[in-house]
Amino acid sequence: MSNYFEFSESEKRYLESINEDFDRNLSPYATKNSDAIRRIESRRYDIIRPAYSYDTDSIIHNPLYNRYADKTQVFSFYRNDDLTRRALHVQFVSKVAKTIGRALRLNQELIEAMALGHDMGHTPFGHKGEEYLSECYGEGTLKRKGVRRYFNHNVHSARIFRHILKTNLTLQTLSGIISHNGEKVCKEYAPSKLDNFGDFDILLENCYTDNDYHKTLRPNTLEGCVVRVSDMIAYAGKDRQDLYKTGLVPADSFKKDRLIGTKNRDIISNMVINIIKNSIDSPSLNMDEEVFNDLRDLISENYRIIYGDDRLNAPYEEGVKPLMKGLYARLTDDLLNENKQSPVYRHYLNDYIMGSSYKDEQGNITGDVDDIVCDFIASMTDDYFVDICKELHIDDEAIKKLKYHEYFEK
């Protein structure tokens, strides 16, 4: 009888040689598949799905990956299919990073895993939602534990894979995810020395007790450094492109001439080329001083003109912020009062995947109240957040202030 689903010994030897050739052809500064550090080594089909390819599968097949499609990148209240959502952003990051990684002979499978997983911890309504949830979480933990804890999306991305979903990702992928924040532009990106899960768990906890600690982290691989800088490259010009589609500001609000270009396509290609030129056979990522200064100035200009625009931020302050506070308080009360009809039970804790990490062997809830509520809200898409607030009548007046720009509005 034929065995359709197992490899013969000769087929195994062939596949093993492919994996060996893959590692052998990498740069001496690249992360080899054989370097992977994982908690549990038993994996299915590792001969055709090496370490970081396995990580990518774990990321894209988890229940939160679908939700990227309805999570804000920058612009929340627009019925416009041309505006970027998280799902598209992580793909942009992956493509930019893999282009750089290919030229430098780095491990593209590791790059893809980190890029596709790096924003999994983002809240509904983007960075504003993140800011408001951190305020609620901090007030809740201070009240119930006596110590303020902080929420940051990159840290939460690592928590999702490390603790909530227990996906057994490699240390290298987790390090790239938690260290991806691209808000600060650097001229040089060099890996850290992180080499064990014990130290990773310590720095993960430090991120919750010190709000600025996560800003000091660096990925422990050169591939992680590539993803970090590619995150900036991917949003620097695209956020401007999206802004023009909203009609909030004209294109001439920004500088007309730049060394790295003013159009998204030019910014991406010029940055990619300059980084490759300066990083061939190097243990770090580098760019020319003039290019670094221009990218830093472009990012600063984005913060001033886009992210700091009062017209853009008003709907968040007037609508999302009071709803976030009201929803956090309501779900907290539901947990403390064991209201099993609450969505926090029905849509989260009772889910056999999402809820398992908060229960003991008998199925009793053992998780911390503020952690559960924070995790649940962070998992929501924009639409679900609005609908749960409507369903629970959290703040009907605040909901009325969420005005969407429709496709055919005049």
Side-chain angles (χ1 to χ4, degrees):
M1 180 178 177
S2 298
N3 193 328
Y4 296 107
F5 308 114
E6 288 187 10
F7 294 115
S8 67
E9 290 304 312
S10 63
E11 290 165 342
K12 287 180 181 178
R13 286 193 295 272
Y14 164 77
L15 293 169
E16 286 169 354
S17 71
I18 295 295
N19 293 332
E20 290 168 359
D21 287 346
F22 182 92
D23 274 3
R24 188 163 41 248
N25 290 328
L26 293 174
S27 160
Y29 304 112
T31 307
K32 295 177 171 56
N33 285 314
S34 58
D35 296 332
I37 302 171
R38 197 187 299 278
R39 281 285 197 186
I40 304 171
E41 287 304 321
S42 58
R43 304 190 309 280
R44 297 180 67 195
Y45 313 128
D46 57 346
I47 198 169
I48 57 171
R49 199 169 56 157
Y52 308 116
S53 176
Y54 174 91
D55 283 0
T56 299
D57 284 352
S58 296
I59 290 167
I60 66 175
H61 290 292
N62 86 70
L64 295 179
Y65 191 82
N66 277 9
R67 302 186 187 183
Y68 271 145
D70 187 38
K71 290 208 174 191
T72 290
Q73 175 66 13
V74 176
F75 303 99
S76 299
F77 305 103
Y78 289 82
R79 312 285 191 199
N80 189 328
D81 297 328
D82 293 330
L83 297 181
T84 307
R85 311 294 279 179
R86 289 285 161 197
L88 189 55
H89 169 70
V90 298
Q91 292 178 56
F92 287 153
V93 175
S94 179
K95 188 64 181 79
V96 170
K98 288 170 71 175
T99 300
I100 296 172
R102 180 181 182 277
L104 300 180
R105 292 190 296 131
L106 302 182
N107 194 322
Q108 294 188 66
E109 291 182 341
L110 173 56
I111 285 172
E112 182 176 42
M114 292 184 290
L116 295 182
H118 80 278
D119 270 353
M120 193 68 67
H122 253 298
T123 64
F125 297 104
H127 285 284
K128 281 297 181 181
E130 177 180 6
E131 175 187 328
Y132 305 146
L133 182 56
S134 186
E135 290 176 7
C136 295
Y137 182 57
E139 291 168 3
T141 52
L142 184 62
K143 177 181 178 181
R144 277 172 280 277
K145 292 183 177 180
V147 178
R148 182 179 293 274
R149 292 171 69 80
Y150 301 91
F151 176 93
N152 289 286
H153 79 273
N154 56 314
V155 181
H156 189 64
S157 294
R159 170 174 164 78
I160 287 171
F161 295 119
R162 184 81 177 89
H163 297 297
I164 299 176
L165 298 178
K166 300 177 181 177
T167 48
N168 193 31
L169 296 188
T170 60
L171 179 65
Q172 289 89 343
T173 296
L174 286 171
S175 174
I177 287 172
I178 198 172
S179 308
H180 81 261
N181 267 20
E183 282 72 24
K184 181 181 178 182
V185 186
C186 299
K187 183 175 177 291
E188 178 184 14
Y189 293 86
S192 69
K193 300 297 184 182
L194 180 70
D195 60 4
N196 65 84
F197 279 97
D199 287 346
F200 178 83
D201 288 339
I202 290 172
L203 67 85
L204 179 63
E205 175 60 20
N206 288 343
C207 290
Y208 281 100
T209 57
D210 181 347
N211 195 35
D212 292 325
Y213 187 82
H214 72 110
K215 299 176 183 177
T216 69
L217 302 180
R218 288 179 293 129
N220 68 348
T221 63
L222 193 55
E223 288 84 355
C225 295
V226 170
V227 170
R228 179 165 170 163
V229 72
S230 297
D231 187 25
M232 280 184 292
I233 295 171
Y235 73 66
K238 193 64 172 69
D239 287 356
R240 295 174 173 219
Q241 196 175 73
D242 287 349
L243 179 66
Y244 302 150
K245 292 181 183 297
T246 68
L248 280 174
V249 301
D252 59 8
S253 300
F254 297 94
K255 286 185 178 180
K256 294 181 176 59
D257 296 300
R258 281 193 175 276
L259 177 63
I260 63 174
T262 58
K263 294 181 178 179
N264 185 44
R265 64 187 183 191
D266 295 330
I267 294 168
I268 291 174
S269 60
N270 288 335
M271 288 304 308
V272 166
I273 290 170
N274 191 259
I275 289 171
I276 292 171
K277 280 168 58 67
N278 284 278
S279 307
I280 294 173
D281 294 328
S282 171
S284 62
L285 287 187
N286 310 278
M287 61 187 85
D288 285 306
E289 184 76 30
E290 297 84 358
V291 172
F292 160 68
N293 288 331
D294 200 39
L295 176 63
R296 183 172 57 179
D297 186 67
L298 184 149
I299 297 290
S300 296
E301 193 176 42
N302 278 8
Y303 272 87
R304 186 176 68 256
I305 296 177
I306 305 176
Y307 319 129
D309 190 300
D310 291 339
R311 293 167 298 173
L312 180 63
N313 291 326
Y316 299 103
E317 288 292 320
E318 297 170 0
V320 176
K321 185 174 185 177
L323 289 171
M324 183 73 75
K325 290 183 176 294
L327 180 61
Y328 194 98
R330 170 62 184 273
L331 296 177
T332 300
D333 287 344
D334 286 347
L335 280 173
L336 293 173
N337 295 318
E338 298 186 9
N339 176 10
K340 299 299 177 63
Q341 297 305 307
S342 170
V344 72
Y345 284 95
R346 294 189 294 113
H347 293 176
Y348 195 66
L349 291 174
N350 293 346
D351 183 275
Y352 76 100
I353 296 177
M354 301 302 300
S356 62
S357 65
Y358 308 101
K359 299 175 183 177
D360 59 21
E361 292 182 356
Q362 288 71 44
N364 300 310
I365 304 299
T366 59
D368 178 84
V369 168
D370 287 288
D371 286 344
I372 293 172
V373 173
C374 186
D375 293 344
F376 181 35
I377 293 177
S379 76
M380 297 177 185
T381 63
D382 293 12
D383 285 348
Y384 181 90
F385 178 89
V386 174
D387 280 0
I388 192 176
C389 289
K390 288 180 179 178
E391 177 71 16
L392 299 178
H393 295 284
I394 296 301
D395 187 332
D396 292 339
E397 290 304 312
I399 289 175
K400 291 178 182 177
K401 294 178 181 178
L402 300 180
K403 302 295 184 183
Y404 284 79
H405 299 269
E406 305 292 344
Y407 283 106
F408 297 102
E409 69 179 21
K410 295 180 180 180

